Amino acid sequence: MDNNLAKKELIKLAKRAYRNGEVPVGAFVVNENDQIIGRGANKTHQTKDGLMHAELIAIRQAEKRLGDWRLKGCTLYVTLEPCLMCLGAIGNSRIDRVVYVLKDPLFGSVASKLSTAQVKKMYPKLKVEKLRGEEEVAELMTSFFKDLRTREKKFRMGANN
Amino acid sequence: MDNNLAKKELIKLAKRAYRNGEVPVGAFVVNENDQIIGRGANKTHQTKDGLMHAELIAIRQAEKRLGDWRLKGCTLYVTLEPCLMCLGAIGNSRIDRVVYVLKDPLFGSVASKLSTAQVKKMYPKLKVEKLRGEEEVAELMTSFFKDLRTREKKFRMGANN
């Protein structure tokens, strides 16, 4: 899939999460023909379910679409470097390739907390790529956490309505 | 929780998976008072959903029960060493302790594919324990895969009805 098109779709999904008060992470799965077969926008807080990461929602939708939990030949695109749980789900689902935009030094597990070499050892066939041009994704994240701090501050000062 | 009681409950859950034609893995989550707040029996094949590992089902049920995705103070018991996805979910959910019975050299990620030291580095607070006496769990797994091979063989020979 064209990188700019992919980023546009990812931003759209991340903004959907943002609008719902969620950490703005978006993900989608494409098949070998670059058709989108699963989309996800993070919704851990709405659902109070820590498993509802964008990647897991997208993978589950793709599995339902194909009627198979094996997503061979598929690529997962995601705004943020996947955490260990999502990397494991990507590995279990036999996805071929994961493409992310922004590194996550805290929980990211395909370059940050786990090195690319460690991932290669666990999933020899999995390709991991980072897209350039993370500015828009980074701004979205910064803006979300700034909003959150402002809301928390207001709340602590009793100005929350 | 008493180890024998824990194993009894785990075997019950694993057998439930087995009866449904699933790899026999069972898991449950207990709170600080050793009350079971979430149970899971593997059902990836029934649901065609690779995320339906016993651990994830048990974690989701515990989250729903508590109305919170943070399971601080909780312990997850499981028949089989958790895979990377389940380890990540355990980490994300802030579970304190994971106790497993049988090692999984293929996908296990708290001692086999990832070393205990690597897990410690990623989740410094997570305690990982292995229960002794894995015979019953091992037998269940062996029996399941033996059945599976027999069925496959029959199917290939055209004797499947």
Side-chain angles (χ1 to χ4, degrees), chain A residues 56-74:
Chain A
L56 262 61
I57 299 170
I59 288 173
R60 174 166 282 149
Q61 202 176 96
E63 288 176 343
K64 286 219 169 119
R65 183 88 168 260
L66 299 186
D68 194 341
W69 56 265
R70 278 156 297 215
L71 302 177
K72 275 192 183 167
C74 294

Side-chain angles (χ1 to χ4, degrees), chain A:
Chain A
M1 184 181 244
D2 172 78
N3 287 346
N4 286 329
L5 266 179
K7 261 197 273 184
K8 214 172 151 184
E9 179 67 28
L10 284 177
I11 297 281
K12 209 169 79 181
L13 290 163
K15 282 186 174 168
R16 186 188 297 169
Y18 197 147
R19 279 196 305 276
N20 292 324
E22 300 280 354
V23 180
V25 181
F28 63 88
V29 175
V30 296
N31 64 14
E32 284 160 313
N33 304 321
D34 276 348
Q35 286 171 316
I36 298 182
I37 55 169
R39 286 180 174 83
N42 176 36
K43 48 178 170 177
T44 49
H45 285 280
Q46 285 163 276
T47 55
K48 290 179 181 155
D49 181 351
L51 310 180
M52 294 298 259
H53 282 196
E55 297 95 314
L56 262 61
I57 299 170
I59 288 173
R60 174 166 282 149
Q61 202 176 96
E63 288 176 343
K64 286 219 169 119
R65 183 88 168 260
L66 299 186
D68 194 341
W69 56 265
R70 278 156 297 215
L71 302 177
K72 275 192 183 167
C74 294
T75 297
L76 180 128
Y77 287 87
V78 58
T79 49
L80 191 69
E81 184 187 350
C83 76
L84 197 75
M85 172 180 74
C86 292
L87 169 63
I90 290 162
N92 289 354
S93 70
R94 317 287 194 269
I95 280 176
D96 277 28
R97 189 168 152 248
V98 52
V99 182
Y100 69 98
V101 184
L102 187 68
K103 271 202 178 188
D104 179 1
L106 268 184
F107 299 106
S109 297
V110 298
S112 302
K113 299 282 280 186
L114 276 189
S115 69
T116 312
Q118 283 174 312
V119 175
K120 201 83 209 153
K121 209 174 150 190
M122 299 195 80
Y123 303 110
K125 288 179 186 171
L126 181 68
K127 294 181 205 77
V128 178
E129 289 171 33
K130 190 194 167 306
L131 287 188
R132 288 184 191 186
E134 63 259 37
E135 296 75 13
E136 203 173 347
V137 173
E139 273 166 28
L140 216 55
M141 294 292 277
T142 310
S143 162
F144 174 81
F145 286 108
K146 203 175 148 190
D147 279 4
L148 197 69
R149 280 193 299 270
T150 311
R151 279 208 305 275
E152 276 181 353
K153 207 171 161 185
K154 274 189 185 163
F155 182 75
R156 279 204 201 106
M157 290 166 69
N160 194 47
N161 48 14

Side-chain angles (χ1 to χ4, degrees), chain B:
Chain B
M1 185 181 244
D2 172 78
N3 287 345
N4 285 329
L5 266 180
K7 260 196 276 184
K8 213 172 152 185
E9 178 67 27
L10 283 177
I11 295 281
K12 208 170 79 181
L13 290 162
K15 282 185 176 169
R16 186 188 297 170
Y18 197 147
R19 278 196 304 276
N20 293 324
E22 300 279 354
V23 179
V25 182
F28 64 88
V29 174
V30 296
N31 64 13
E32 285 160 315
N33 304 320
D34 276 349
Q35 285 171 317
I36 297 181
I37 55 169
R39 285 179 175 84
N42 176 36
K43 48 177 168 177
T44 49
H45 284 280
Q46 285 163 277
T47 55
K48 290 179 183 157
D49 180 351
L51 311 180
M52 295 298 259
H53 282 195
E55 298 95 315
L56 262 62
I57 298 169
I59 289 174
R60 173 166 282 149
Q61 203 177 95
E63 288 175 343
K64 287 219 167 118
R65 182 89 169 259
L66 299 186
D68 193 343
W69 56 264
R70 276 157 297 218
L71 302 177
K72 276 191 183 168
C74 293
T75 297
L76 180 129
Y77 287 87
V78 58
T79 49
L80 191 68
E81 184 187 349
C83 76
L84 196 75
M85 172 180 74
C86 292
L87 169 64
I90 289 161
N92 289 354
S93 70
R94 317 287 195 267
I95 280 176
D96 277 28
R97 188 167 153 251
V98 53
V99 182
Y100 68 98
V101 185
L102 187 67
K103 271 202 179 187
D104 180 1
L106 268 184
F107 300 106
S109 297
V110 298
S112 303
K113 298 283 279 184
L114 277 189
S115 69
T116 313
Q118 283 173 313
V119 174
K120 200 86 208 151
K121 208 174 150 190
M122 300 196 79
Y123 304 110
K125 289 179 187 171
L126 181 68
K127 293 181 205 80
V128 177
E129 290 170 34
K130 191 194 167 309
L131 287 189
R132 288 185 190 186
E134 64 260 37
E135 296 74 13
E136 204 174 347
V137 172
E139 272 166 29
L140 216 54
M141 294 292 276
T142 308
S143 160
F144 174 80
F145 286 109
K146 202 175 148 190
D147 279 5
L148 197 69
R149 279 193 299 270
T150 311
R151 279 207 306 274
E152 276 181 353
K153 206 171 161 185
K154 275 190 186 164
F155 181 75
R156 281 204 201 105
M157 289 167 70
N160 196 46
N161 45 14

